[in-house]
Amino acid sequence: MTAKSKSRARSALHAATLIALLAGSGYLTYTLRAQEQAKAPAVQVVDGHVAGSGEAGAQKWERLSSPDRSVVRDGTGQVLATFTDGARTATLTGPSRTFTEPANTTARVVTENWVRLMPEPWKAGAENESWFKEWFKKYFGSQEDDIFAMAFQYGDQAPVKKDAQGTSYAGDASFGPLNPNGSAGNDLRLEQSDFYDYLGTPYTFRDGTKKQPQTARYRSMDCSGFVRTVFGYRARYPLLSGDTSGSGLPRTANGMARATLGAEILPLKGVGAQDRPANIDVIQPGDLLFFKLDARTGDRIDHTGIYLGTDTDGHKIFISSREEANGPTIGDKGGTSRLDGNGYYATTLRSAKRL
């Protein structure tokens, strides 16, 4: 079978699967819709402005600051991709997609942003290096699962996906087992479920630490476990076994927020109400977000999520695994998933970084 026929077969299979899924309700949906591009809001301009010159079909590289980054534009000045110094996360422009969660919100995110991990952190001039040329040729315009697609494969009623060994690596995830001492709105479910708990398989980290899954936590992931599942287990960003220092993604939201990783987009200044970032317009799709929700955790950051972009009403939306929704959500249970305004999560945001 040729690559083209394989692609057609995959497209046909995707379409058939999507039709079957849409017959149900109450799950996070992820769809590719060519017709959406005509009615979708303009793609978010991640660098703050759009140039208006250049020949159609040409590509132009440009250096920008705050944060230091490189963008590539097409001949009309539209941003095709953004690469941030020190970060492996890249935001590419591609086919329009729609993300919804009918069970918990009416919000809809229609986006042309595709978020992927590069094999190396970006630096000025990397567009001329062979590793990048090879990576960009493979992934620009690709519809292979990206960070967003992976994230939405763990929502309510998401179908189970299995690898060649029969391990269920995706599908509806819960936040964690019920807490025998908890109640609704007060630690109803236990934290500390990581990706290996969700998988139900032991995992040996690079430092030699071997973690055993807990049966009660099977198919569960807390907020940081969700981020580690998507960026680490699925997208292959290095993972640490705990919150110790190192070149990988730590275990907890607090560890991630305070680690020297990627690029600091909204630096962590503190955990008090006065430390809420004054301007969040610098964040871009794929950034990790960090929140201070619970006074009982002292100076620790206690929640994390992934920024998706703006919804069709213009609100800044994120996805995270939450106790109230019992798993990954962009919904309204336990607080609307918005960063703008003065809602629960908007007022508790403390920092953001680009891995």
Side-chain angles (χ1 to χ4, degrees):
M1 182 180 289
T2 66
K4 184 178 290 186
S5 61
K6 287 181 180 178
S7 177
R8 289 172 178 168
R10 285 195 297 267
S11 297
L13 177 60
H14 175 78
T17 302
L18 180 60
I19 291 170
L21 287 175
L22 290 177
S25 62
Y27 60 91
L28 291 165
T29 61
Y30 151 56
T31 62
L32 285 171
R33 301 178 182 176
Q35 65 269 31
E36 285 282 5
Q37 296 202 41
K39 59 185 180 181
V43 61
Q44 182 181 6
V45 182
V46 296
D47 65 304
H49 68 281
V50 174
S53 61
E55 181 182 349
Q59 290 187 0
K60 177 183 177 182
W61 285 87
E62 182 180 356
R63 286 291 291 173
L64 299 170
S65 59
S66 300
D68 292 339
R69 62 204 187 280
S70 302
V71 300
V72 59
R73 302 176 186 274
D74 65 14
T76 67
Q78 294 295 319
V79 174
L80 299 178
T82 301
F83 311 95
T84 304
D85 290 9
R88 288 178 54 188
T89 301
T91 302
L92 312 178
T93 299
S96 178
R97 296 177 290 177
T98 299
F99 297 92
T100 64
E101 188 185 347
N104 293 313
T105 183
T106 59
R108 298 170 66 249
V109 178
V110 180
T111 180
E112 294 176 346
N113 291 308
W114 292 66
V115 178
R116 301 191 181 279
L117 283 185
M118 297 180 289
E120 297 183 22
W122 184 260
K123 61 182 179 181
E127 65 270 21
N128 298 314
E129 298 185 12
S130 58
W131 71 263
F132 174 74
K133 292 180 179 180
E134 181 180 347
W135 179 88
F136 192 63
K137 181 179 180 180
K138 178 178 180 180
Y139 287 109
F140 184 72
S142 169
Q143 294 183 18
E144 180 179 322
D145 284 354
D146 71 330
I147 293 296
F148 286 179
M150 295 172 191
F152 277 80
Q153 290 169 1
Y154 298 94
D156 183 45
Q157 298 186 36
V160 172
K161 293 178 177 289
K162 294 184 178 182
D163 61 20
Q165 290 71 44
T167 299
S168 299
Y169 67 87
D172 190 335
S174 64
F175 179 85
L178 287 171
N179 181 357
N181 300 315
S183 59
N186 185 29
D187 300 330
L188 178 63
R189 294 184 176 274
L190 295 172
E191 297 181 347
Q192 301 182 5
S193 294
D194 206 354
F195 68 95
Y196 53 85
D197 292 303
Y198 175 86
L199 298 170
T201 58
Y203 188 87
T204 301
F205 290 86
R206 293 179 301 163
D207 64 0
T209 301
K210 186 172 183 178
K211 295 287 188 176
Q212 295 290 340
Q214 295 184 26
T215 302
R217 299 180 183 277
Y218 180 59
R219 313 299 288 174
S220 298
M221 53 182 73
D222 63 14
C223 65
S224 51
F226 172 60
V227 168
R228 281 161 61 90
T229 299
V230 174
F231 276 92
Y233 181 74
R234 296 291 304 279
R236 313 314 299 170
Y237 194 91
L239 293 169
L240 298 178
S241 59
D243 277 0
T244 55
S245 61
S247 60
L249 194 61
R251 171 62 188 95
T252 69
N254 186 68
M256 294 178 191
R258 299 182 186 280
T260 305
L261 295 172
E264 294 288 344
I265 305 303
L266 296 174
L268 178 62
K269 298 179 179 179
V271 299
Q274 71 278 7
D275 299 307
R276 176 185 178 183
N279 180 11
I280 63 173
D281 290 339
V282 293
I283 60 175
Q284 77 176 27
D287 287 352
L288 293 188
L289 308 169
F290 300 98
F291 304 84
K292 176 60 181 175
L293 306 181
D294 193 341
R296 296 174 299 175
T297 59
D299 290 335
R300 294 177 62 82
I301 292 295
D302 47 36
H303 192 66
T304 183
I306 303 169
Y307 180 54
L308 297 175
T310 53
D311 67 10
T312 52
D313 292 321
H315 297 295
K316 297 180 184 298
I317 299 294
F318 71 97
I319 184 170
S320 67
S321 184
R322 308 216 289 266
E323 171 191 311
E324 295 84 358
N326 194 22
T329 183
I330 61 170
D332 303 328
K333 286 187 176 180
T336 305
S337 300
R338 295 176 182 170
L339 302 179
D340 53 290
N342 289 301
Y344 181 59
Y345 286 101
T347 57
T348 54
L349 179 68
R350 294 294 177 265
S351 69
K353 67 176 55 185
R354 199 164 296 157
L355 284 185

